[in-house]
Amino acid sequence: MVTTHTLGFPRIGANRELKFALEHFWNGKLSENDLLDIVRKLRETHWQQQSNMDFTTVGDFSLYDQVLDMSFTVGNLPERFRRMEGSDLDRYFRIARGRSGQDSETNNVRAAEMTKWFDTNYHYIVPEFDATTQFNLNTDRLYSQIAEAQQFGFAVKPVIIGPVTYLWLGKTTDASNKLDMLERILPAYVELLNGLKTRGVEWVQIDEPILVTELSAEWRHALSQSYHCLNSSPINILLATYFGELQKNLPLVCELPVQGIHLDAVRARDEVIKLIDWSPAHRIVSLGVVDGRNIWKTDLNATLDRLEPVHARLKERLWIAPSCSLLHVPVDLENEEALAPNIHHWLAFAQQKLEELDILSTALNCGRDRVVHQLKDNATAIDDRNSSMQIHNLSVKRRVSSVTNTMSQRQSTYVERHPRQADRLKLPLFPTTTIGSFPQTLEIRKTRRKFNNGELDSAAYQTQMKREIESCIREQEALGLDVLVHGEPERNDMVEYFGEQLDGVAFSQAGWVQSYGSRCVKPPIIFGDISRPKPMTCDWIDFASSLTNKPLKGMLTGPVTLLNWSFVRDDQSRAETCLQLALAMRDEVLDLEKAGINIIQIDEAALREGMPLRKSQWQSYLNWAVNSFQIAANGVQDTTQIHTHMCYSEFNDIINSIAAMDADVITIETSRSNMELLDVFDEFNYPNQIGPGVYDIHSPNTPSTESIVGLMQNAAAKIPSDRLWINPDCGLKTRTWEEVKPALQNMVAAAEMLRSVQTSAKIARVSSA
């Protein structure tokens, strides 16, 4: 009999119950006991939703982040948090966001660094190590969840992050080598596995996704050392890999002394037979045959064609599952009532993916005749999508084929453009600005909800949004910011807003996916060729510019980010889809310029996360990704200043490609990483302007003027002061005005202080001369 299981399930809830519970707790509206009671019930619901699986995955539920959970499990907390008063939950949220729900505004601390989980849009909390790091097992969270699930009669399979991946994901805060921590952390893992066995657990899933990356000999040896050590435990280990092919790591995986291997058979389909051939005859082989990263239906008949001979060979040693955790897809398609029927019929969310697994296992165990109607319905949906006339637009394809090299180039070099822009904008030294969005207040959300529900007509909606824009402009003028934005009150999300106005893109009502903590996004569904029927932002920006004499930025999302933060069609290359997006955004850029907007920001927050996990494949991706940005941005005149923004992404190793984008100003995250991202500029002479983010907007903490000055002085040691901007590290939509105002006041005060210092230094130099 084939065994079915999942690698993980969405934890936010079908109606984002986790999000709202967390935010109520942080706002003081829920007690700790109330919060824990809600999440207990949510876990039970999720286990019930997986009840048709042979194993129920436990330990995948997290209050904020699974990597942070693993840090608590192995007792690895950054030193600045260890002695703080409060419960483990207080400490947990302080690490994640700088403050727990119960802390006062003065009792806060710098949150841990946050970055992207491999090539996804999920953010994880980066573990920290130093020479003094020790690991002390804390099993309360995991063991209590196992006990809960067992009480309901589920056959549990706990999931934990493997020791080598955990170290690889972290950072050292001194000169230590991360691999020096391996001998310290392995005893905690051995103790954990032994403890699981005593609690009646037969199988544990240990995730080592770094196996789909290019590993040095040292890291490969660390994997071998680790699993020979963990083999001493009496529990069965399912080693889970996902997000790509194993390639040169496949022989290593086959040699590891584990009882089961999970392979992403969607992205590593050609490695299935090799894995079986090279594995011991007793080993379980788990194949991820349903895509856990996208929302298109699985072609069940084609999948069975591949699986049936494998099943005949492996028999009960075959397990099937999604390719990876279902964390990356929405919960349930049944909640969607507004999608066009044909598009609805093409899709599968997490719940439907489990149903697909159930159909596949029934067909394998009992024959296709047992599920003939389900297979026929699936084949109809697959054929309908493949032949649909909605997918292809000949005019879009003709325009793509007519793209020329000159379309990706600015008229002049940055050195020539800069003085023309400076003369037009007349900005001070250390100009201050924000990344684009301002707080999405309860009033804004209510207005949008009424408009979407038909309770408010278009004229009334626009009147209220313009009132919000005017208020935002006035607040920025009062704060003294140098370059203003309109605040984006009309935008539900930086990707969703644009996707809703493009042809070839569909949207769900409740297709929420967790990005980090309580932050959820609703990715667009790119199902066909993309075009822009009409301008998307010009009316709002034109109105905002009429309210002020200060420079105003037009705010757009770049083509690469639109691509990487969407569920993308899989019937053509991502590069071609991205070029279609680039042409649509190019039209918007040129329309903004015609409307008199001299500063246009094109956010590419997701440029880095879309990169292949193997370095050898980076350049191919960067070539078309950077070209797409250039196509979107570079049709403007020299006097128009192009900005771009990237957040929570390491980019030191792709700095040449960042420079090739040729944006006049780039804004980046540096507050959580304490300006570490600027180390690359010690060796690379970045030619254009940079705005290092000095205000961590993912934390409720208020940065002091002194801390901002310190960060900017660190930046000025690497980048000339006349090329530095001062800004937050991301948009402000998730914060409140009560949090934003004092932070921006301090930011403006820091700029004034820095200008004063520069002026004094200049006077001193002139006097001495």
Side-chain angles (χ1 to χ4, degrees), residues 297-313:
K297 276 188 174 178
T298 304
D299 186 335
L300 297 180
N301 288 284
T303 302
L304 283 170
D305 289 343
R306 294 190 298 273
L307 280 178
E308 283 170 339
V310 172
H311 182 226
R313 181 175 175 183

Side-chain angles (χ1 to χ4, degrees), residues 545-580:
S545 65
S546 72
L547 301 173
T548 183
N549 293 322
K550 285 198 166 188
L552 186 82
K553 275 195 297 189
M555 301 300 306
L556 304 176
T557 302
V560 185
T561 297
L562 289 170
L563 179 88
N564 287 333
W565 286 358
S566 297
F567 293 122
V568 183
R569 59 189 293 191
D570 54 4
D571 62 324
Q572 70 179 19
S573 72
R574 293 174 70 86
E576 184 172 349
T577 301
C578 197
L579 187 53
Q580 293 178 2

Side-chain angles (χ1 to χ4, degrees), residues 147-212:
E148 286 176 32
Q150 288 173 332
Q151 285 178 353
F152 294 108
F154 295 116
V156 300
K157 172 177 60 70
V159 56
I160 58 176
I161 296 172
V164 187
T165 290
Y166 177 77
L167 294 178
W168 188 84
L169 291 170
K171 58 179 283 189
T172 55
T173 56
D174 57 16
S176 300
N177 184 332
K178 288 189 286 188
L179 282 178
D180 291 343
M181 311 291 160
L182 187 62
E183 290 188 359
R184 303 182 210 171
I185 200 172
L186 284 176
Y189 272 83
V190 171
E191 183 183 348
L192 174 60
L193 298 188
N194 289 336
L196 290 174
K197 183 64 176 179
T198 64
R199 281 158 178 80
V201 174
E202 294 298 324
W203 281 91
V204 60
Q205 173 187 320
I206 304 184
D207 288 359
E208 293 283 10
I210 62 163
L211 280 160
V212 304

Side-chain angles (χ1 to χ4, degrees), residues 135-397:
F135 300 95
N136 299 288
L137 193 64
N138 179 353
T139 60
D140 291 349
R141 178 195 66 88
L142 184 58
Y143 286 176
S144 65
Q145 291 186 26
I146 289 171
E148 286 176 32
Q150 288 173 332
Q151 285 178 353
F152 294 108
F154 295 116
V156 300
K157 172 177 60 70
V159 56
I160 58 176
I161 296 172
V164 187
T165 290
Y166 177 77
L167 294 178
W168 188 84
L169 291 170
K171 58 179 283 189
T172 55
T173 56
D174 57 16
S176 300
N177 184 332
K178 288 189 286 188
L179 282 178
D180 291 343
M181 311 291 160
L182 187 62
E183 290 188 359
R184 303 182 210 171
I185 200 172
L186 284 176
Y189 272 83
V190 171
E191 183 183 348
L192 174 60
L193 298 188
N194 289 336
L196 290 174
K197 183 64 176 179
T198 64
R199 281 158 178 80
V201 174
E202 294 298 324
W203 281 91
V204 60
Q205 173 187 320
I206 304 184
D207 288 359
E208 293 283 10
I210 62 163
L211 280 160
V212 304
T213 69
E214 291 163 339
L215 298 173
S216 67
E218 291 79 7
W219 284 96
R220 290 163 57 84
H221 176 71
L223 284 155
S224 179
Q225 177 186 348
S226 296
Y227 287 90
H228 280 87
C229 175
L230 299 183
N231 191 41
S232 63
S233 169
I235 200 168
N236 293 315
I237 294 175
L238 176 71
L239 181 69
T241 72
Y242 42 82
F243 295 156
E245 297 177 329
L246 296 170
Q247 294 188 13
K248 292 181 180 180
N249 296 327
L250 179 57
L252 168 65
V253 168
C254 293
E255 293 168 3
L256 294 178
V258 294
Q259 290 69 43
I261 299 290
H262 174 84
L263 180 74
D264 182 341
V266 173
R267 288 163 180 77
R269 183 182 300 176
D270 294 340
E271 295 182 339
V272 170
I273 300 304
K274 289 180 182 177
L275 175 66
I276 297 170
D277 287 344
W278 298 353
S279 289
H282 62 275
R283 177 176 286 164
I284 295 296
V285 174
S286 170
L287 297 180
V289 294
V290 171
D291 193 347
R293 291 280 297 275
N294 215 329
I295 43 74
W296 306 108
K297 276 188 174 178
T298 304
D299 186 335
L300 297 180
N301 288 284
T303 302
L304 283 170
D305 289 343
R306 294 190 298 273
L307 280 178
E308 283 170 339
V310 172
H311 182 226
R313 181 175 175 183
L314 294 178
K315 298 182 173 58
E316 71 278 358
R317 289 195 295 122
L318 174 62
W319 292 15
I320 58 174
S323 59
C324 61
S325 171
L326 295 174
L327 171 70
H328 309 289
V329 295
V331 178
D332 193 352
L333 186 63
E334 291 305 310
N335 294 328
E336 302 301 329
E337 299 175 352
L339 275 170
N342 59 330
I343 294 176
H344 190 285
H345 197 45
W346 299 342
L347 307 180
F349 291 177
Q351 196 63 47
Q352 288 67 46
K353 290 178 184 294
L354 298 188
E355 293 167 4
E356 290 180 334
L357 282 175
D358 200 36
I359 294 168
L360 290 170
S361 67
T362 300
L364 291 170
N365 290 329
C366 307
R368 296 196 194 196
D369 289 346
R370 284 285 296 271
V371 286
V372 63
H373 296 298
Q374 294 94 320
L375 292 176
K376 183 178 180 181
D377 182 64
N378 175 264
T380 299
I382 299 298
D383 291 343
D384 178 65
R385 181 179 169 222
N386 290 340
S387 60
S388 173
M389 297 301 293
Q390 287 183 282
I391 292 176
H392 304 291
N393 184 323
L394 291 179
S395 65
V396 173
K397 295 186 185 301

Side-chain angles (χ1 to χ4, degrees), residues 88-105:
D88 278 351
L89 191 64
D90 289 332
R91 195 171 291 110
Y92 181 89
F93 287 131
R94 288 184 189 122
I95 295 173
R97 57 195 296 273
R99 193 192 306 171
S100 79
Q102 313 306 315
D103 287 338
S104 68
E105 292 188 12

Side-chain angles (χ1 to χ4, degrees), residues 572-646:
Q572 70 179 19
S573 72
R574 293 174 70 86
E576 184 172 349
T577 301
C578 197
L579 187 53
Q580 293 178 2
L581 287 164
L583 290 169
M585 299 314 293
R586 179 185 180 92
D587 293 341
E588 190 71 16
V589 169
L590 294 177
D591 278 343
L592 283 173
E593 185 181 53
K594 287 176 188 174
I597 303 302
N598 306 131
I599 305 177
I600 302 172
Q601 181 171 309
I602 308 170
D603 290 340
E604 286 295 13
L607 177 77
R608 176 61 193 252
E609 74 188 46
M611 289 174 58
L613 295 174
R614 294 181 178 275
K615 200 167 186 176
S616 58
Q617 299 168 351
W618 284 7
Q619 197 55 54
S620 174
Y621 164 82
L622 288 168
N623 287 345
W624 62 256
V626 170
N627 181 65
S628 293
F629 175 85
Q630 292 170 329
I631 292 290
N634 288 351
V636 297
Q637 301 297 312
D638 284 351
T639 50
T640 297
Q641 190 176 76
I642 296 293
H643 291 223
T644 191
H645 169 66
M646 298 177 185

